[in-house]
Amino acid sequence: MFATPSILRMFAHPAGSAAAGTTSTGKPPVLKVGKKPGSEIKVSNLNVSIGNNHILKNIDLEIPNNKITCIIGPSGCGKSTLLKTINRLIDDSEKVKVNGEIIIDGENIYGKRVEVTHIRRKMGLLSQRPIPLPMSIFDNITFGCKLHGVRNKKQLKQIVEENLRAAGLWDEVKDRLHAPASSLSIGQQQRLCLARGLAIKPQFILGDESTSALDPISSRHIENLFVKLKEKYGVVLVTHTLRQALRIADYVVFIYLGEVVESGPAKELFNAPKHELTKQYLSGVFS
Amino acid sequence: MEHTGLLRRRVAANAMASKLMKLLTIISLLTLLIIGVGLYYKSTAILGEHSLWSLLTGKEWSPLSGQFGFRPFIVSSVYVTVLSVAIALPVALLTALFLTENAKPWITKVVFPILDILAGIPSVVYGLWGTLIIVPWIADSFGPLFVDYTSGYTLLAGGIVLSVMIIPLLVSLFIELFSAVPKDFKDASASLGATRWQTSRLVVVRKASPGIIAAVVLAISKAFGETLAVLMVCGNMVGIPHSLFDSAYPLPALIANNYGEMLSLPKYESALMFASLLMFVIILIFNAISRVVLQKVEQKFKL
């Protein structure tokens, strides 16, 4: 089991990094990030409806880079839909209509001649439950790179090590890289999925309640990784647990019934919410 | 507590039902055994006269002079089966992938019942269709491209007709399998930048691979045992086919064509029984092997 070592590591590094990113020789791993300085996600006048259901209404948002932005709100308010809209996974749903703009790198991802795989590549998605693809640990990490044409074996090996280290999983799995990914514990699987997302060199990490299926120790582990990763990526998390947002968010977006009620720096929003609904939500009147 | 009549009756009915179900299960399992033993018993006459090896590998088939070599029939059967699956598998895989991953839902809704109809058409109709369409097409149009002369009643005709018969079966099994792959997996793959085709190929098919193997086993068993359609289009000339345009004579066609005729010939009935036994054993062994393969695949990826 990995639980014990990860506890130890958390105590050993109270700064919260869970030792992610330090190699056995003490050298930090080389993470080449395809990020352009100052790139951010700009959502303007976004409306999403599925069938007759108007799910997101007139969303205007700016999601900064190198920060953790938490999207909070009661269940069914459209948080996950917003996240899926950002990487266009929403395209695969039936009867979906998207209006408005989401601009990443100065490009409207809902523009006419946008290749959707190219957009998705800019974002690593970490879903609610870990979804290891039906293949080995090694192949899971290299899956994305291979799709985009990386074939060199040495390079692939390097990518696997780098990203497993970045997700704090290398030491636990380095001796069984060719074991099926589903043989890992659920917490390890989620870090594997994170490593897999990092391997495609995204600019943003999207987390859709990524810790909700995990035990407290594993979810703490993932949270710490997010904090570490924001140095290099923009992190956007949909979260159901307010306490998680309190712990790690830099920016908070509160959504209620498909509308952004309030958004801003975490400290301001949590300490001095302006809107009545936000106050009620934060004090637990509804959840 | 006093047992009321109702309670007693319910308990008795329960006991009877469970006994009945057990009995029926045993009976259906026994049938397998009875068929096997019966076929073996009937084949002993010919097995006593010729060695098993000479029966399996002998090329000569002339019941009049007491020569029973089954090799042409075994080879024909295997060829026709392999050919039909080789044609049907890619077609069925791509069709099912299209219907589950790419097609609009209404298309799937329309196509599904059509597949069921295709699967329900009696094999004699397929046989007729093969005789009227495929055989002349091979004889007049397709065959001449490759060989000087072919009658059209060929291995290829058998393979095509059989493949058309198993495609509906395979497609509907594959559709079940592919739609059972959770959307999460497709999303995970898509979010890494996979195109739909890449996701289908690398994730969906892979995730469904144990099921695909099981479906193919079913299709092979069906193709191997299919009698009427192959009997009508394969030509039924004794001899090992050397090309797609040679006539073939699969085992089921041999049995169906000859049983009931010329049974006065010594050992002839026994020889036909041996042919049945052969098919029975081949299917048994084949199923056993495929179980092992299936388990290995499942273990390998813990699917």
Side-chain angles (χ1 to χ4, degrees):
Chain A
M1 267 312 280
F2 74 99
T4 324
S6 65
I7 293 175
L8 289 179
R9 247 179 280 140
M10 270 182 351
F11 282 115
H13 301 273
S17 63
T22 39
T23 65
S24 47
T25 54
K27 265 195 297 182
V30 198
L31 260 175
K32 292 178 207 109
V33 186
K35 178 193 69 186
K36 289 166 197 160
S39 64
E40 54 180 13
I41 303 175
K42 222 177 198 173
V43 181
S44 44
N45 202 19
L46 180 77
N47 281 280
V48 177
S49 50
I50 296 179
N52 291 325
N53 219 344
H54 198 170
I55 293 178
L56 291 176
K57 298 160 193 160
N58 304 319
I59 306 279
D60 281 300
L61 266 183
E62 274 185 36
I63 297 172
N65 211 332
N66 300 90
K67 295 275 189 266
I68 295 181
T69 305
C70 280
I71 303 173
I72 59 171
S75 41
C77 70
K79 305 185 294 277
S80 297
T81 308
L82 177 59
L83 205 67
K84 279 189 178 170
T85 314
I86 295 177
N87 74 348
R88 287 192 59 174
L89 262 187
I90 194 91
D91 291 19
D92 295 340
S93 310
E94 271 176 54
K95 292 178 188 165
V96 66
K97 252 195 225 150
V98 180
N99 284 312
E101 280 188 339
I102 296 181
I103 291 173
I104 297 170
D105 287 344
E107 176 186 32
N108 178 15
I109 65 166
Y110 283 93
K112 267 195 182 142
R113 270 182 299 171
V114 170
E115 174 54 44
V116 66
T117 55
H118 159 76
I119 297 299
R120 288 182 183 148
R121 216 196 144 173
K122 292 182 181 176
M123 278 159 272
L125 176 73
L126 201 55
S127 54
Q128 212 159 7
R129 281 182 316 118
I131 311 288
L133 296 171
M135 46 191 84
S136 69
I137 296 171
F138 190 95
D139 290 341
N140 257 277
I141 306 284
T142 56
F143 185 82
C145 313
K146 280 187 185 164
L147 294 178
H148 300 108
V150 182
R151 286 273 176 267
N152 184 318
K153 277 202 179 137
K154 219 175 134 190
Q155 207 179 341
L156 287 174
K157 267 187 193 164
Q158 200 188 341
I159 288 171
V160 168
E161 183 172 349
E162 266 174 26
N163 293 292
L164 281 174
R165 280 190 196 284
L169 193 60
W170 174 251
D171 291 329
E172 292 159 50
V173 300
K174 63 182 173 197
D175 299 323
R176 48 177 177 141
L177 290 174
H178 295 284
S182 51
S183 67
L184 297 172
S185 77
I186 195 152
Q188 288 173 318
Q189 286 182 15
Q190 192 64 314
R191 277 180 285 152
L192 176 74
C193 292
L194 182 58
R196 184 178 69 193
L198 295 180
I200 56 171
K201 294 177 186 160
Q203 297 167 25
F204 288 90
I205 311 248
L206 311 180
D208 187 1
E209 299 189 31
S210 315
T211 58
S212 64
L214 306 183
D215 59 277
I217 292 164
S218 304
S219 69
R220 205 47 189 265
H221 208 145
I222 296 276
E223 270 181 28
N224 292 336
L225 284 169
F226 283 146
V227 173
K228 182 94 187 160
L229 288 168
K230 75 175 178 184
E231 290 169 16
K232 288 158 184 143
Y233 309 88
V235 180
V236 187
L237 304 176
V238 162
T239 180
H240 209 73
T241 40
L242 269 177
R243 264 173 296 173
Q244 182 172 58
L246 267 171
R247 276 194 297 268
I248 60 175
D250 299 307
Y251 281 89
V252 178
V253 179
F254 174 54
I255 297 187
Y256 185 69
L257 296 179
E259 285 178 275
V260 174
V261 176
E262 193 170 344
S263 67
K267 268 188 189 157
E268 282 176 29
L269 193 135
F270 283 132
N271 294 332
K274 292 185 192 100
H275 202 283
E276 189 55 31
L277 272 170
T278 322
K279 271 181 212 163
Q280 285 180 0
Y281 182 70
L282 291 178
S283 59
V285 174
F286 61 92
S287 62
Chain B
M1 203 181 97
E2 207 175 300
H3 283 188
T4 63
L6 177 64
L7 178 61
R8 222 172 291 149
R9 257 178 291 145
R10 282 170 53 205
V11 172
N14 180 48
M16 256 172 47
S18 82
K19 282 212 178 83
L20 182 67
M21 289 186 280
K22 200 193 247 170
L23 184 73
L24 291 175
T25 313
I26 292 173
I27 288 177
S28 47
L29 289 178
L30 267 182
T31 352
L32 189 73
L33 193 70
I34 292 169
I35 292 175
V37 171
L39 288 177
Y40 179 74
Y41 174 73
K42 284 280 200 175
S43 325
T44 43
I46 195 161
L47 281 167
E49 205 160 287
H50 304 271
S51 76
L52 181 63
W53 185 249
S54 71
L55 285 174
L56 292 179
T57 57
K59 284 187 202 168
E60 285 304 313
W61 179 266
S62 53
L64 283 172
S65 52
Q67 281 188 304
F68 298 102
F70 282 93
R71 189 151 147 202
F73 308 104
I74 298 172
V75 171
S76 291
S77 262
V78 171
Y79 280 0
V80 169
T81 307
V82 170
L83 182 63
S84 68
V85 174
I87 298 172
L89 186 60
V91 175
L93 267 178
L94 294 178
T95 308
L97 277 178
F98 168 72
L99 289 175
T100 50
E101 308 300 317
N102 296 51
K104 300 219 161 61
W106 69 265
I107 298 181
T108 315
K109 258 182 216 151
V110 172
V111 172
F112 217 78
I114 297 178
L115 285 172
D116 283 344
I117 294 170
L118 280 177
I121 293 177
S123 56
V124 65
V125 176
Y126 280 107
L128 270 179
W129 168 76
T131 317
L132 293 175
I133 312 276
I134 298 297
V135 169
W137 175 71
I138 291 174
D140 304 332
S141 311
F142 192 66
L145 298 177
F146 302 92
V147 289
D148 292 337
Y149 170 76
T150 173
S151 67
Y153 290 93
T154 52
L155 184 63
L156 181 62
I160 292 175
V161 172
L162 269 186
S163 71
V164 172
M165 291 178 72
I166 57 177
I167 281 172
L169 171 79
L170 279 177
V171 172
S172 56
L173 287 172
F174 287 164
I175 286 179
E176 301 272 325
L177 287 168
F178 295 155
S179 14
V181 174
K183 188 161 184 309
D184 292 348
F185 284 89
K186 298 168 195 171
D187 282 355
S189 168
S191 71
L192 292 168
T195 60
R196 214 169 259 209
W197 170 235
Q198 284 173 321
T199 300
S200 301
R201 223 162 23 101
L202 302 169
V203 177
V204 177
V205 169
R206 189 152 195 167
K207 185 78 184 156
S209 53
I212 293 176
I213 294 175
V216 170
V217 170
L218 210 63
I220 290 179
S221 304
K222 188 179 159 159
F224 189 77
E226 171 52 42
T227 310
L228 210 54
V230 291
L231 183 143
M232 290 168 79
V233 300
C234 277
N236 304 335
M237 304 229 293
V238 182
I240 294 173
H242 293 290
S243 87
L244 290 176
F245 301 101
D246 282 353
S247 152
Y249 205 167
L251 280 165
L254 168 76
I255 301 166
N257 254 350
N258 298 300
Y259 196 81
E261 289 172 31
M262 303 193 294
L263 288 186
S264 53
L265 288 176
K267 310 287 183 250
Y268 197 49
E269 188 189 1
S270 183
L272 293 179
M273 283 299 164
F274 178 72
S276 313
L277 181 67
L278 215 53
M279 290 186 57
F280 185 77
V281 171
I282 290 174
I283 288 290
L284 275 189
I285 293 175
F286 177 69
N287 271 285
I289 292 173
S290 57
R291 295 237 152 221
V292 176
V293 173
L294 205 61
Q295 247 169 15
K296 292 266 178 229
V297 172
E298 268 172 355
Q299 262 169 18
K300 193 169 174 205
F301 293 113
K302 288 205 175 170
L303 289 163

